[in-house]
Structure formats: C-alpha cells, structure tokens
Amino acid sequence: MSSLTELSSPFIEIVLKDLLSFMSSPSHSDVALPVAAMKVMLNVIKRSKAITMTGLLQELETAKEGMLGLAASKDICGFRSHIPLQSGCELFMRYVTRSFYEMSSDFELCIKEVLLRGETFAGMSLTARQSIAEHGCEFIREGQVILTHGYSRVVASLLKMAAEKQKKNFSVIVLEGRPEGGGARAAAVYSEANIPVTVVLDSAMGYAMEKADLVIVGAEGVVENGGVVNKIGTYALGITAKALNTPFYVAAESYKFARLYPLNQADLPRVETGELRFADTTLPGKLEEIDVKKDLITVDNCVIDYTPANYITLLFTDLGVLTPSAISDELIRLYA
Amino acid sequence: MPSIYSPTSASLRDYLASHSHLLLALDTFLLSLRLGEFNNPSYSDTPSRPNEIPGSPSFRSTESGELKEETKEGRKVSRSALTLKAMELVRSIVGTTKWTSSGELLIILEALGRLFHSSYAKDPCLSNTIRRLMNLVRTVEEDLKTPQPTPGALSVNTNLPLTTDPGGVPSGALSPPNIISRSTSTPSMTSALISQPQNASTDLLYSNLERFRSDSMAESPEPAGVPVPDGPLNPSNVEGIAKKLPPYFFEYKAEFRQMVMEGFQEVIDDLEEGRREINEQAGLHIHSNEIILTYSLSRTIEIFLLHAHQREKRQFHVIIAEGAPHFGGHVMANKLSSKGVRVTVINDSAITALMPRVNLVLLPAHAILANGGVVAPSGSHLCALSALANKVPTVVVSSLTFKLCPMYPHEGQDIMQDFVSPAFLGVGSESDNVDLICPVHDYIPPELIKLFITNVGGVLPSYVYRLLSEVYCVEDPIIFK
C-alpha cells in the first residue's frame, strides 16, 4: 500500500478504500471497473459536505485523480488499462453537471436526484451487456467459426445468447490471452454453454484466422476516432483479420467511450504489471527461467495495445451497432 | 369505431372495418404486391434475348420462363413509383381514419409495415419508408412535447420519478427537458446523457412504462390533461411497438394530426422529386469527352446521364455492360442511344479489359446498407473491384428516400439476396447433375465506393450512418418480421 501513503489525504484514503472494497466484493466479477468507479463517486457525494456545485465537482475531481493514481501505480485492474476507470469517472461527473443544469440549477434537488438514480448503477453493467448481446448476436450465423481473444464478459454474454437463446450452432476459437491467460477461463465458460471451443496460442492467430468467419473481441476503452484499447494482441489480431478480409467486430459498453486520441502505441497510459515469466522450454528437464535481471535483457510486459479504427468493421454497443466513425459523434453528444 | 391496439393485420382490418373503400384499396394493393406486379425492374424488365441461338433452349421454352413472360406487361412500375403508390395509400388511411394519438398512429404504421413486408418481403423499400414515417411521427411528438412544460410539476413530485410528469422539467439550458424524464430509472447513464431520443434505450422506455403501470398511476397526482388510456388503448394491452412507447405518446394533442400530415406530404414530395435533386449534380460529375462505364439497367442512372447530355450539353461516351443473364444493359443502351448519347455495349466479361480506358464507373443501388455498403445488381461487385484495380472512381447514383436501410450487412439477414428462375441461363444441358442458380444481387463493400450521388447531395460511404440516425429511430423494429 505504498501508494496510499503517498496520497496521504484522509479523503483520498476513504475513496481508495471504497474502490478496493468494491473491487474485492464477491459481486465484482459482474461489475465493470467504470461502474465501480461510479459507485465510489456516489459515495463521495453521499459523504460530501459541499454546498455548491463547484465544491462538489472539486471533491469528485480529487477522488478521480486519487483512483487514477492508484491504478497507475499498482495493478488493481488485473492486467487491464485504467482507461475505463477514467471514462467512468468523467461520464459520472458529466452526468452530475448536466443534472444540475436540468434541475434549474437547484443544488439540493440535483444531489437528491443523482443519489436516487444512482441506485440503478449497480445493474448498469449487466443491462448494457444484455443489450450489446442482443445487437451483436444477430451477426452470428449457423455453422460459423468465431475467433476471439482472451476472456471478455461482453463477448461471453453475446456468444452465450446466440448459443442458448437463439439456439445457433457455431464454434469458437479462443486465443490463449497471455500474460494472464484469460482464454482458459473463456474456454470453460463457452464449453459450459455447449459451444465447441478450440484454444490456440496467441502466436497462432495467423494460423487460426483462415478458419475463422468473423472475429469478436471486447474492449477496455473505445477512443475518439473509433479505435479501441484492449488486451495486448488485439492490434495484431485486427491486422491479421484485415489481411484475410475477416470481419472484425468489437463489443463494448458505452461507458467505456473515452476522450482519448492515441496516435500510436506509445500514447497509451502505462500500466504497471508484474514481471513476465520468460522461460526457455526447449531445455530438457526442469523449466529454466531465464534470469531477467541480467543487465542486457529488458522485458517489456505490456498488457494493452491500441487498435486503430480502420481495422474495425463494426462496434456492438448498448447504443446500437455503430461504425467506428460514429464513435466521435456519440462522444461529442456526451460531452459537448 | 374499433380502436387499433395491436400491430397485427387482424386489428388493422378491424380498425378499417367502417372504411370499406380503404380496406379495398389496401387489399388490392397487397394483392398486386403478391402477384409480383412490382418486381424489381432491373431483372424483370428483361428483354428477350436479341438473337436466340437456334437449338439452345432459351428461357421462353421453360415453364417458369413463360410465367414470367405472361406477367411481364404489368411489371413496368419502378420501385419509386411503387413506393409512392404505397405512401399515397398510407396517407389516405392515416388521413381519413380517427386515430387520436401518436401512439395509435405508430401502431397503425407498424401494422401496415408488417402487411407490406409480408406481401413484398424481398424488397426493403416499403419497410424503409414506413420506418421513415414512424420516425417522423416520433419527431413531431417530441417537438410538441418540448415547448409545453407543466409549471410546478417538479415541486409536486420530487420524490417520485420524474417520468410521471408528462410536462417534464422546465426547459433547461442544455438540452430538451425530456432527457431527465426519460432517464429516470435508466440503468444506462450514457443514454441518460444523450439528448437524442433516437438513442434512448428500449429498456429505458420500457422501464418507464413499467413505472407508469405500477406505482405512478396509483400514487402520483395525475397531472391535468393526461387521459388515462384504457380499454384496448391501455399500453398494457398492446403488443409490438406500443409496449415501448412512453405514456405521453397516448395523449391527445390538437395540432398533432395536421403536423404529421404535413410531414407525410414532405416524404411523398421527396419520393417524387428525389431524381430532380440527383440530376442537378450531373454537371458536376460528368465532363465532356469522358468515358463512363455503367452496369445493366437503372432508371436513375439513365436520366442522370440524359440530364448531363441534354441539359448540360456534355459529350461523353457510355460503355454499358449488358448485365447477363437479364440483359438490362441492352434496354439501357437503346434508351440512351435513342436520345443521342454515344453508347457501346460490352459483354460482362469484357469489363476488366475496358476498364483502363474508363474515367468513371456509375453503379445503381438496390439498397444502401448502414455501413455504406451497397446491394446492387449481381455482377456490379466485379465492376467495382475492377475499377479499384485501375484506380477508376466508383460512384453510386441512388435516391436515399427509400433505399437507405438501417441494417448492416450480415445482420440477421444476409444481403437481401434473391434468386430468380435460372431459365435465363439457357444452358443446353438436360443433365440432372447441373445446378443452375441465378442470384439477383451483389453486395459491394463501402471500401470500393468513392461517393454516393443522392438526393441529399454527394455523400461519402462513411457518412451514411449519420443520415440513418436522422431519418430512422432505433426503437422502431429493424425488419418487419
């Protein structure tokens, strides 16, 4: 908890404790990071003694900075970027100010309303995922082979809906999804839904692509030009899909739309992760881990990458099916 | 008069029971749809093959070919004329019957859409226009709702969800007041933030309705002027679209009917005048001494070229690919050459050979899909690919009024593929081992299209989604099933 001592203010301490408790609660597996961030912000409002909108927004801003600081210094997101955390916070603040304007600038009333409606945020992830699944599963047809990368809750609910509700027969190829290997979990989830699954190495994406009829991936963040930030390997997957003319679909909740405009991979926020296990398996006997502390070896364990919009066919969102160019419209509508 | 409460054909018929002439007009129209009188002219206007090769069985000699020949006379109606006819029917139904609210009107339109679709499923033009009318009804409803805030409604109901105040919050600074009332119980904050009614999610409206049914009716003081719909009109008794409508759609508003009818007239005017606006751009795109390649038969392209030739005095040369096996290109060549345009007809396999000389490829559209892709006569994909390989721009000339479809390729349906009798193919084999198929359409992906010339001006494929959100509402059913 070294980061907590750096941000010593007791206000931030409570915020972070709040966030961590949301993240570790048993229901966390169904609640996305931005939603957790919104809940934290709701609690900030509940505790707040501010009497003006400016005062309240300052508190929210501090809470946001605190959460982002924690996410940047420590892996609380589980090998994920904190872009959704940021987009969730910004969306929430936008929501508060907008409610304020609409309530004829009555501060008390606005807070009351925000808190009242805030209760429904808990179900937000699930509802959004449900709606994405409904839009997206129309694109899956009988007998297709679908390639996906690692584990994504949105993609899982989409495929499950196609298999269980629509009774479509299709099979899935899952990339292993190193470093955390979400593909194993995905395979378990899909096989439970009676979908035939094949698991392949990440490096087999080119090999697997020619068998695939379409690619569906999730996203951690959707940026302004319609590109997505997602688990490492998504960019390569997009390029491979484009090369073989395979449709490349992204399923993402609209609260992941972020006001970012990355131009290249280096523009992405760094995510602090553990060291990569880098082993030589060709040696006989015991797995010899190469000593990564050697001066001349740098291990860059990046966990996210940025896929530009031109590799994406369509995005399935809870606002409907969107082309990448429609993303900026939605963002402008949200924040203008 | 019976009220309409569900978008089924039976309830529509009940509703129209006292208007026997409307019912008759509707049935006559549906019958002519079913009889195929309006089949797509791009393949039904087929001329007989100019020189039949003796000995090879031509399409006349098979049974289905004869059927086609027999009904051919009735098929000269173009799709825009068909759509116009349908819309005039819709206007007379809507204009003379006694619906009272936008909700009812939407139910009527949905029922009509379903009827048209069941009689003419393979063509999206009627469903698209009905959808456009439904969006129009919604827009008028929202427009009427906005400028009439109920003063004090807010203070009465602070503890209750604001949904129940039809007047809503007084007009705020940022956006229409209905945002708040719509977003009351929404789990999606994004939709709460988004001001366009198009984007409010269905769950959200549905939950509004739930609330409307459960607590607000019992507890909240009913604001004056809101009749509680009852009987068949109660939203809880209806099916289909009305389930998703917020309660204020079932209020009576005096000026609503007139505004809607004016809107309908605008849509009909659009249908009538779409080509004029397209033709006005002819001079911008067609220059003298150019060689223009087009594929098969299209009335829109024909008059577009004629406009450039006759009005703009451009001297150009048109290469027409014949469009086998329907040979629409032959008709097109006759029509253009009789008006003095220089025309060369080529067989389809010669497209790639001639493409290096071509300056511009003009293609017709059967439907324009949400991603900017196009459903066009089969064989035109080849044209577009060959154009790309030779860096010749491919331009699609089409009116958007009824061809713009809200679905993406591969969404639910395929690409509206349709197969007609392969008797045209005239293969001389009697063997059972030969399969003959004759698909009518091609899907051209948006990457191959440089520009759309439409009745709203030049449009890039990447801009099509934007036009969609202007003319259609996401909550209306995508495909009338």
Side-chain angles (χ1 to χ4, degrees):
Chain A
M1 287 273 151
S2 61
S3 55
L4 285 186
T5 47
E6 281 168 40
L7 306 158
S8 56
S9 137
F11 171 77
I12 289 180
E13 214 162 296
I14 297 173
V15 165
L16 297 185
K17 217 177 265 171
D18 224 14
L19 179 67
L20 291 174
S21 79
F22 275 127
M23 301 292 297
S24 57
S25 71
S27 63
H28 163 59
S29 59
D30 273 337
V31 175
L33 189 59
V35 179
M38 286 174 192
K39 285 186 182 169
V40 170
M41 290 207 145
L42 266 179
N43 285 350
V44 170
I45 296 184
K46 271 182 202 156
R47 285 190 303 264
S48 170
K49 302 219 162 45
I51 46 161
T52 62
M53 189 45 89
T54 318
L56 184 68
L57 284 178
Q58 250 162 22
E59 283 185 22
L60 291 177
E61 185 68 39
T62 320
K64 173 187 140 190
E65 294 299 327
M67 285 191 276
L68 286 179
L70 176 67
S73 60
K74 194 164 155 290
D75 178 30
I76 55 164
C77 315
F79 292 110
R80 281 156 182 264
S81 77
H82 53 262
I83 291 173
L85 187 69
Q86 187 180 347
S87 67
C89 291
E90 279 170 9
L91 199 64
F92 184 85
M93 289 164 70
R94 182 74 192 136
Y95 170 60
V96 172
T97 42
R98 204 141 170 179
S99 306
F100 182 62
Y101 282 121
E102 276 150 14
M103 295 288 173
S104 314
S105 305
D106 184 332
F107 182 68
E108 300 275 307
L109 190 63
C110 168
I111 297 309
K112 222 169 171 180
E113 267 304 308
V114 166
L115 289 178
L116 190 73
R117 286 185 227 153
E119 300 307 318
T120 58
F121 289 172
M124 210 161 98
S125 289
L126 280 177
T127 334
R129 241 170 264 157
Q130 181 77 10
S131 138
I132 292 168
E134 278 167 18
H135 289 300
C137 64
E138 289 301 315
F139 287 81
I140 296 173
R141 278 175 292 162
E142 199 69 21
Q144 280 186 325
V145 178
I146 295 157
L147 181 58
T148 176
H149 186 36
Y151 180 70
S152 148
R153 284 171 294 204
V154 195
V155 176
S157 65
L158 194 159
L159 294 180
K160 270 160 80 181
M161 180 174 283
E164 288 172 347
K165 282 217 179 129
Q166 299 194 324
K167 306 275 177 220
K168 284 175 181 160
N169 293 304
F170 57 90
S171 61
V172 176
I173 303 176
V174 184
L175 299 177
E176 181 195 16
R178 287 263 278 156
E180 89 283 3
R185 186 171 164 204
V189 169
Y190 298 148
S191 65
E192 217 160 88
N194 287 323
I195 306 170
V197 201
T198 314
V199 185
V200 296
L201 287 178
D202 290 329
S203 41
M205 64 173 71
Y207 163 84
M209 189 62 78
E210 69 172 32
K211 297 181 193 159
D213 294 301
L214 65 145
V215 181
I216 305 182
V217 293
E220 290 176 18
V222 180
V223 300
E224 260 183 283
N225 61 359
V228 297
V229 177
N230 194 30
K231 187 175 167 44
I232 189 84
T234 308
Y235 180 33
L237 193 60
I239 295 174
T240 320
K242 182 94 177 174
L244 296 197
N245 236 343
T246 310
F248 186 84
Y249 300 124
V250 175
E253 300 93 332
S254 57
Y255 52 70
K256 287 179 176 166
F257 292 8
R259 285 203 294 170
L260 292 171
Y261 206 122
L263 298 173
N264 51 27
Q265 307 296 332
D267 280 351
L268 294 181
R270 285 298 301 181
V271 179
E272 229 26 72
T273 53
E275 256 168 23
L276 182 67
R277 272 173 53 86
F278 192 58
D280 188 349
T281 55
T282 57
L283 298 175
K286 200 171 130 275
L287 278 188
E288 288 289 328
E289 204 151 315
I290 285 180
D291 182 9
V292 295
K293 302 267 181 336
K294 269 184 191 162
D295 286 348
L296 288 175
I297 300 177
T298 313
V299 176
D300 183 2
N301 187 17
C302 43
V303 293
I304 53 167
D305 62 18
Y306 160 61
T307 311
N310 57 323
Y311 295 105
I312 298 166
T313 314
L314 289 172
L315 293 120
F316 306 147
T317 77
D318 45 326
L319 304 173
V321 180
L322 304 177
T323 53
S325 39
I327 297 295
S328 59
D329 274 17
E330 296 296 341
L331 274 168
I332 288 167
R333 205 175 282 163
L334 283 173
Y335 290 102
Chain B
M1 181 196 307
S3 283
I4 183 152
Y5 54 88
S6 93
T8 59
S9 108
S11 68
L12 184 70
R13 279 173 206 285
D14 279 354
Y15 175 75
L16 293 176
S18 54
H19 301 273
S20 51
H21 64 286
L22 290 179
L23 211 48
L24 181 68
L26 179 66
D27 281 339
T28 319
F29 182 72
L30 294 177
L31 196 63
S32 55
L33 283 180
R34 281 187 192 274
L35 285 175
E37 278 184 29
F38 301 113
N39 278 354
N40 189 345
S42 69
Y43 60 90
S44 54
D45 258 3
T46 311
S48 51
R49 301 182 79 169
N51 298 310
E52 276 173 44
I53 306 140
S56 76
S58 78
F59 69 97
R60 280 167 192 272
S61 63
T62 65
E63 205 177 309
S64 49
E66 273 161 24
L67 274 175
K68 282 209 167 283
E69 282 294 286
E70 275 169 20
T71 47
K72 234 185 81 179
E73 281 313 299
R75 294 189 190 178
K76 300 290 182 189
V77 185
S78 70
R79 288 163 79 215
S80 56
L82 160 70
T83 315
L84 201 56
K85 203 169 169 188
M87 287 316 118
E88 271 158 8
L89 177 69
V90 171
R91 184 173 55 175
S92 61
I93 289 176
V94 168
T96 52
T97 59
K98 287 184 180 164
W99 46 270
T100 53
S101 64
S102 54
E104 270 178 273
L105 183 52
L106 285 175
I107 300 169
I108 296 173
L109 288 175
E110 192 188 351
L112 280 168
R114 284 176 196 279
L115 272 178
F116 288 158
H117 181 73
S118 60
S119 312
Y120 199 57
K122 58 188 169 186
D123 201 313
C125 60
L126 297 183
S127 314
N128 286 345
T129 326
I130 291 279
R131 240 179 103 88
R132 180 181 289 253
L133 295 180
M134 289 170 87
N135 183 55
L136 174 95
V137 170
R138 285 177 188 270
T139 318
V140 172
E141 177 66 47
E142 299 292 339
D143 282 354
L144 278 179
K145 188 169 164 286
T146 313
Q148 302 170 322
T150 316
L154 197 61
S155 52
V156 179
N157 268 349
T158 39
N159 293 328
L160 281 165
L162 286 168
T163 337
T164 55
D165 305 339
V169 196
S171 298
L174 255 184
S175 46
N178 56 335
I179 299 167
I180 286 282
S181 49
R182 273 167 166 265
S183 61
T184 301
S185 48
T186 173
S188 161
M189 198 157 63
T190 318
S191 22
L193 271 169
I194 287 181
S195 52
Q196 302 246 333
Q198 276 95 322
N199 287 298
S201 77
T202 32
D203 322 323
L204 142 69
L205 288 175
Y206 190 72
S207 57
N208 279 351
L209 194 61
E210 285 292 295
R211 211 169 269 278
F212 175 70
R213 276 186 221 146
S214 55
D215 51 56
S216 67
M217 295 296 287
E219 294 164 24
S220 74
E222 197 58 57
V226 182
V228 185
D230 62 14
L233 260 186
N234 188 315
S236 56
N237 291 346
V238 300
E239 292 160 16
I241 185 173
K243 263 211 157 94
K244 298 169 183 167
L245 292 175
Y248 60 85
F249 269 75
F250 289 92
E251 291 160 23
Y252 173 76
K253 294 183 193 68
E255 61 277 62
F256 179 75
R257 179 180 280 262
Q258 198 207 337
M259 287 174 71
V260 160
M261 293 317 287
E262 280 168 12
F264 274 32
Q265 187 57 48
E266 270 170 37
V267 173
I268 290 176
D269 289 348
D270 258 10
L271 283 170
E272 281 173 338
E273 292 177 13
R275 278 187 182 142
R276 189 174 52 82
E277 282 143 7
I278 293 175
N279 290 344
E280 278 167 7
Q281 303 162 64
L284 297 172
H285 297 284
I286 294 175
H287 314 289
S288 278
N289 301 319
E290 272 188 344
I291 298 176
I292 292 155
L293 186 137
T294 178
Y295 186 86
S296 192
L297 173 70
S298 157
R299 176 92 182 122
T300 314
I301 291 182
E302 177 202 330
I303 58 175
F304 184 76
L305 290 172
L306 285 178
H307 187 91
H309 180 68
Q310 295 174 334
R311 294 283 170 82
E312 311 280 345
K313 307 287 179 214
R314 301 284 148 88
Q315 295 298 324
F316 51 89
H317 190 143
V318 183
I319 297 178
I320 302 175
E322 62 179 356
H326 313 297
F327 304 109
H330 298 179
V331 182
M332 182 84 157
N334 282 331
K335 287 180 169 174
L336 286 177
S337 61
S338 66
K339 301 273 165 55
V341 181
R342 284 176 64 207
V343 173
T344 305
V345 179
I346 57 169
N347 57 331
D348 300 337
S349 44
I351 289 174
T352 41
L354 287 173
M355 194 57 84
R357 306 180 184 200
V358 172
N359 300 107
L360 178 69
V361 173
L362 290 184
L363 289 180
H366 176 73
I368 297 170
L369 303 181
N371 64 342
V374 154
V375 179
S378 60
S380 33
H381 191 183
L382 172 80
C383 244
L385 281 172
S386 160
L388 185 77
N390 290 285
K391 299 283 181 283
V392 177
T394 298
V395 173
V396 173
V397 187
S398 164
S399 159
L400 290 179
T401 43
F402 59 88
K403 290 183 180 173
L404 186 59
C405 298
M407 52 274 203
Y408 291 88
H410 313 306
E411 183 178 7
Q413 37 82 56
D414 264 12
I415 45 162
M416 296 175 213
Q417 191 53 280
D418 194 8
F419 294 88
V420 291
S421 161
F424 299 110
L425 294 175
V427 173
S429 164
E430 299 294 316
S431 164
D432 287 343
N433 294 330
V434 179
D435 279 337
L436 298 176
I437 59 162
C438 191
V440 173
H441 302 306
D442 249 354
Y443 165 66
I444 308 178
E447 302 87 74
L448 300 182
I449 299 162
K450 260 272 171 333
L451 186 72
F452 287 98
I453 299 177
T454 74
N455 55 317
V456 292
V459 170
L460 289 181
S462 57
Y463 187 72
V464 167
Y465 78 91
R466 188 79 180 266
L467 294 170
L468 270 176
S469 64
E470 279 168 25
V471 294
Y472 299 131
C473 172
V474 281
E475 283 151 48
D476 291 330
I478 275 215
I479 314 161
F480 293 101
K481 281 180 184 159

